[in-house]
Amino acid sequence: MQTALDWLAKETFKLDEWESAKQQLLAGVQQIESHSKQDEHDLQQKKADEQLLEELCHDIQLLSVAIKTSAFESSSPLEFDRDYNKFPLEAYQQIGQHLDSARRSLPREDYRQNKSRNTNWLSRFCRRLNDSGS
């Protein structure tokens, strides 16, 4: 104890070191308070996110059931009965039929007179459609 008292008697109070230590302690306290508030905010956000996740999972389940149910109850032939892999071919065949019909409705003499290189594309196109359909 005497040694401690002797040391205290020799040492002088250093105000600048005390102020520096005080500022460091206050900064540490503020940082701890800030982290505590951030943790509280994060915990509230986590609870809200978990609630939203539950609601979204429930909605997904309901939509999944609705999709499965509507797939079997569909009354429209366009929705699920059509084979879309053949869709472009079917469309081209329909266009070809309409073009054939239009070509047949043209007057014969006009059609034969206009067999120039510029109008011959129609017959080549129709032939290609007919060839691709077979």
Side-chain angles (χ1 to χ4, degrees), residues 34-131:
S34 173
H35 287 303
S36 177
K37 288 179 182 177
Q38 185 64 41
D39 287 346
E40 185 178 320
H41 176 264
D42 291 347
L43 184 61
Q44 290 175 352
Q45 186 64 43
K46 181 182 176 186
K47 288 179 183 178
D49 290 346
E50 288 172 348
Q51 178 66 32
L52 179 62
L53 178 63
E54 286 179 26
E55 292 172 7
L56 290 174
C57 284
H58 180 71
D59 290 348
I60 288 171
Q61 288 174 344
L62 290 175
L63 289 172
S64 178
V65 169
I67 288 170
K68 288 176 185 175
T69 307
S70 69
F72 294 113
E73 295 177 0
S74 174
S75 60
S76 172
L78 296 178
E79 286 185 37
F80 297 102
D81 297 339
R82 188 170 221 179
D83 183 10
Y84 286 101
N85 291 331
K86 296 181 181 178
F87 181 73
L89 180 60
E90 291 175 17
Y92 289 132
Q93 288 172 344
Q94 289 175 359
I95 291 170
Q97 292 169 358
H98 289 294
L99 287 173
D100 286 341
S101 173
R103 187 181 59 195
R104 283 188 295 257
S105 70
L106 290 174
R108 279 229 179 259
E109 63 270 3
D110 289 344
Y111 178 71
R112 291 181 187 226
Q113 287 175 357
N114 292 327
K115 275 197 165 184
S116 70
R117 187 175 177 134
N118 292 335
T119 58
N120 200 17
W121 68 269
L122 181 62
S123 27
R124 287 193 314 258
F125 181 74
C126 291
R127 265 186 270 143
R128 283 186 187 169
L129 286 177
N130 289 334
D131 292 344

